[in-house]
Amino acid sequence: MDEKSTPSTEEGGERRSKEDELKAIEFERESERKCNEKLQDRLRNLDAKAHHPPESFYRTLDSSVKKNSVFIKKLGTLTEATKDKLVQDLNSLNLTKYIEEVVTAICTAKIKMQDVNCAVYLCQILHRRYPEFSLLLLKTLQSSLSNLNKGDKVSRVRIELRLLGQMLVLGIITDQKEGFSLLHTTLYNLVSHDKEKLEFLPAIVSFVKHCGEDIIGATSSRNKQLVERYKIKISNVNILPPEKQQIFYGLMKEYMTAVILSLVQLHNKLLNTLKANKKTLYMKGEISMERLEEAEKLTAQHSKLMVNTTTLAEMLDISLPDLPPLDVLDDNDNSSSQNDAAVNVTNTELWEDDDQRTFYRDILDLTGIVPQILYKKDKDKVAKEAEEKKLKEKEEKEEDKKYEEGVITEETIEAEFKKLNIEEDDDDEEEEEVVVTTTTTQQNNNNKDNANPTNNSTVTISNKAAMELFLGKLSNISNRDLVNDAAQEFCLRLNTKTNRKKLIRTLYGVPRNRLDLLPFHARLVATLAPILPDVPIDLFTLLKKEFLYHLRKKDQSNLETKIKNIRFIGELTKFEMCEKSEALWCLRVLLEQFTHHNVEIACNLVECCGRYLFRSPETHLKTNHLLDQMMRKKTVHNLDSRQITMVENAYYYCNPPDRVSYVKKERPPIHEYIRKLLIKDLNKNTIERILRQFRKLPWKDDVVAMYTVKSLCRIWMVKYNNIYCVASLLSGLAQFQERVGILVVDNMVEAIRIGMEINQPQYNQRRIAEAKLLGELYNYRMVESNVIFNTLYLIISFGILADGTNPIDLPTDTIRIRLVLTILETCGQYFEKGSLKKKCDLFLLFFQKYLLAKVQPLPIDVEYSVQDTLESIRPNIQMFSSISEVEDAIAEVSPSLKGAFSSVEQEDSDTEEDEGSSTETEGAKVDTQESGDEKEDVKVSKKLETVKCDEDDEFIRELEKTMAADVSSRMSGTTKLSSTDLAIPMNQAFKEHKIEGNVMKFRVLLKKGSKQQFKQMDVPIESDFASNLFDKQKAVLREREELKRLVLGHEQRQEAEELLAEQQENRNTGLLMRPGDRKQKPRKAPQLTTEMFNFNSSK
C-alpha cells in the first residue's frame, strides 16, 4: 500500500513543480514583452519633436469651437469604456488653440484607478501631435503637487502621483530632469509630513505598485522567489542609474519604517481595548456603546492599515514584525475564570422543546388577514414613533452608563416612577381627545347624511356589549387557536382606541391567582403588536409602573399581585414585546434590595424568563453576572431555608450544573448482541426467533457462555413484564444447553439469599425481579416445588435467632413480604391439588405468623397486596388476628401431616421413577437428533414421518384375511328367502341362547291368528343343531375380541407416534409450555419441611 502511494505522491509533486516552472517561464516572457513595449514607446515619445506633423496636417482637421468644447468636456469624465470614441475624436480635431484646456481637463478629470491607463494613452497621442503638450502637462502637475498642505484628497494625489510616474517612464514628459525632480520633491514631502497620520499611504502604495520596479528599482518578494527558484530573468525599464534609484528606495524605506511603527502601536492599542472590553464584559455583564464604537473604529483602522502595510512590504521586499494575535488574552486576565463561566450559547437551544419554541415564536401574521385600511398609520404618527425611537436609544445609552456605574438609588426609582406617571397621563388625555374627536366626526357625518341620531347610539351600545363579551372570553383562553381567533376578532370588529384601552386594562388586571393565563395573554399581545404597536408599549408601561410602585412602598403584603406582575413582564420578554434590558434592570433593582418579598419576586422573574435571557447570546454574560450576584447575596443575607431553596432552584434552573457525561462501557460485539437480544428485542412475539439466535451462539467458548449466563441472571435489566419471556427462553435453551438452566437457577436462589444478607433498599427492585424469575422458572418446569417452598420458608425464617428476633429483618421492613407475594402471585395458582395444596396451606399459616410479627398496621399498599394475593390463590382462607391463634392452627395441623407426607413421598418416588425412565428414553432420542440439528439450520416446522413396525404388518394381514373370507362366503352362499312373514321383535332379536347343564334353551315364535306366541324348547347340547350353534357363537366372540385388540393397539401406537412427533417439533421450533398448560403431577415433600416440623417430637 505504501509502496504504491509513495510513487504517486512523488509523481504529483513533480507534475506541480513542472507546472510552476512553466508559469515562471511564461511570466518571464510576459515581463520581457511589456518591457520592450515600454522601451519602444519611451524612445518614440522622447523623439516626438523630430516627428511632429507639419502645419498643413492641422488644416485638414476640424477646428470648430463647438466640437472642440465637447471633446474637452468629455475629457473631464474619461473612462476605459469611452477610450475608442475619444481617440477617434482626437484624431479628427485640431486642438492647437485648446491645448491648455485639454491639459487642465486631463489633470482635473474625475479619473478612477482603472482608468489611468486610458488617460496615459491619450496623453501619449497628444504629446506626439502637439509639441507644447509635454511642457504644459509638467507645469500643471507641478502646480498641483508642489503644495500638499491644503487638504488635498488622497484619491486625487494618488492619481496624479501615478500619472507623473508613468509619464516619466514612457517619456511623455520630455524634461526628465525636471520631472524626476518634481517626483522626488513630492515623495519627500509626503514622507516627511505623513509619518504620523499616514493619510497618503494609499497613494504611496499605488505608486510603488505600478512604478516601483521601473523608477525605484525595487523587486517584490514574489519575483525574487521566482528568480531564485527557477533562475529566470525579469526585465525592467531602468530609466535611472542605480545611485538615483537608491535615493528613491531610501525614501520609501524610511516611510515604511514609520508605517510599521504606526501599525505596531495601533495593534497594541486595539489589543488592549479588546482585553479591557472582555474584562468589563466578564465583570459587569455588558459593554457601553462608546467602548463598542471605539473598538469597531480601531478594528477598521487596523484592518485597513494592515492591508496597505502588507502590500507595501511585499513590493519593497521588507519583512514585517510578528504581532500577537488579537484573540489571545494574557494569563493575567483571568482567562481561565472566563472560560469556566462562559457557556457555549450558540450550541445551546434557546427553548426546551419544539412545542415551546412554536408557542413563543410561531405567531399568527395578521397583516395578511386584516385589511390594511384598518391599521394604516398616519405620517405624523410614523414621524412621532421615529422620534420616540431616537429618544429611547438615548435613554438606553444612559441606562448602560448607569449600569456601568453600578448604583441604583431610591432617587433613580422615584424619577423612573414619576416619568411613567407623566407619560401615562399624557396618553390618557390624548386618547380622550381622540375619542371625542371621533365621536364629533361621526356626528358630523351623520348630520350630512341626514341619518337618525339614535342609530349612532345604538351602534355604540352594540360595540360596547360586544367588547364586554370579548373581554369575558379572555379568561377562558387556554390554547394557541383561541388566542389567534381572539386576535382576529379584535382587529376585524373591535379595533378602536377606546376598546384598545379597555383591552390593555383587562390584560393588566388579570386575577392574581390565574398565573396560567399570563403566557396566553402575552401571546395575544404579541399577535396584535405588528398591527397595534401601542398595545405592548402601554401594557408594559402599566406593569413597570406597578412594579416600581410596590418597590417604593416596601410593604409586606400583596405578594401574589407582585408575583403576577413580574411574571407578566417575564412572559412579555420571552415574546420580545419588551426589551431584554428592561427585565434585567428589574432583576438588578430587586437584587439591590434583596430582602423579604423581593427575594420571591426575583426568583419568580428568574424562573419565568431567566433561562431565556441566560441562553440568549446578547444577554448571556449580563444574566450570568446577575445570577452570580444573587447567589452571593444568598450567602450574605440572613435568609430562611425556604428562601434559600427558592434562590438555589431559580439559579440552577437557569444555569444547571455540569453533568458528568456518561461513559459507555466498551464491550465486544458478541456481548452487545446478547444484551440487545435480551433487553431490547425480547418480547412475547420474538421468543422463538431469539431462541434460535441463542442456540447459534458459540457455546464452546467459555467466555461467551459465562457472559450469556450472567446476562440471563441480570434479570433486573429486562422489563418486568417480559420476565416470563426469559423463563420461556431458558426452558427452550435448557433442552440443548443443560448447564445454562442449572447455573441460572442456582444463581437465582443464591441471589435471593444474598439479598437477604445485604438487605440494602437500593436493591429492592432487583430482588423483586429475581423472585419473579424464580416463580416463572417453576411455571416452565425448570425447578421443582421443593425449591419454591424451601425459598419461601427461607425468606420468612432467614436470620432468626434463638430468642425469636431477627436483626437483619426489622419489624418495619416489608421487602420480604413483597418477595413472598411475588412468588405466590407468579406460581401459586398451581398449588391447588394434592400434596402441593397441603404444603401451600401450611406455608400460608407460617406466613400469617410472619405478617403478625411485623409492626401493625402494615402499610396500606402492602396490606392490599396481601389481601389480593391470598384471595387469588385461596379465596376461602381463614385470616387470624393474633400469633397465638396461628400457632394453635399450626399445632392442630402438624400431627396429621406425618402420615400424609410419608404416603405422599412414596407416591412421589414411584412417579419420579416412572417419569425418569420415560425422560431417559426421550432424552436418548433427543441426543441422537441433536447433532444433526446443530449442523442444519433450525426449521420452524417438520413433516410427520410414519414409522413402520411388525404390529402394523400383522394387523394389515389379518384385516385382509378377514375381508377376503367374508367376501368369498358371500359369493359362494345362496340367499334363501324366509318362508314366513313373521317379524322378530327387537328385544328378542339379539339375545344369546342360554345353556343350562346339558340343555340349550331356545324360544320358538308361533303365530295363531293375529297373535304371536313364544314357547320354550330345550335342545340337548349333544345334538348337531345345538353344537353347531354353540361353536358359531364362540367363533364370533373370538373374532370380536381379536378385532378389539387390534383396533385398540393401533390407536395407542398412533397416539404415541403423534406425541413423539409433537415433542420433536417443540424441540426444533422452541414452542414451549405456557403457564396455563402445566400438568399437575405428584411431587415429593420437601425434606426441609419435614425436618422443620419434626413430627417425631413429643409436641
Side-chain angles (χ1 to χ4, degrees), residues 424-482:
E424 185 183 6
D425 294 339
D426 294 341
D427 293 341
D428 293 342
E429 291 177 2
E430 181 183 357
E431 183 139 358
E432 290 176 0
E433 292 176 0
V434 171
V435 171
V436 172
T437 304
T438 304
T439 306
T440 306
T441 305
Q442 291 177 357
Q443 291 178 356
N444 294 334
N445 293 334
N446 291 334
N447 293 331
K448 291 180 181 180
D449 298 337
N450 295 325
N452 190 357
T454 59
N455 292 337
N456 189 14
S457 61
T458 303
V459 174
T460 304
I461 293 173
S462 63
N463 287 337
K464 183 177 180 181
M467 187 61 189
E468 294 296 332
L469 181 62
F470 174 80
L471 296 178
K473 293 179 182 179
L474 293 181
S475 60
N476 298 324
I477 292 180
S478 58
N479 56 54
R480 288 176 288 181
D481 295 335
L482 294 178

Side-chain angles (χ1 to χ4, degrees), residues 995-1000 1019-1022:
I995 300 175
E996 295 181 359
N998 296 326
V999 178
M1000 180 178 293
V1019 178
I1021 193 66
E1022 293 85 1

Side-chain angles (χ1 to χ4, degrees), residues 32 138 328 359 473 546 580 633 696 750 831 1044:
E32 185 178 358
L138 179 61
V328 177
F359 183 79
K473 293 179 182 179
E546 183 179 2
K580 298 175 183 177
K633 287 184 176 292
K696 295 178 181 179
E750 184 179 1
F831 304 147
K1044 180 179 179 180

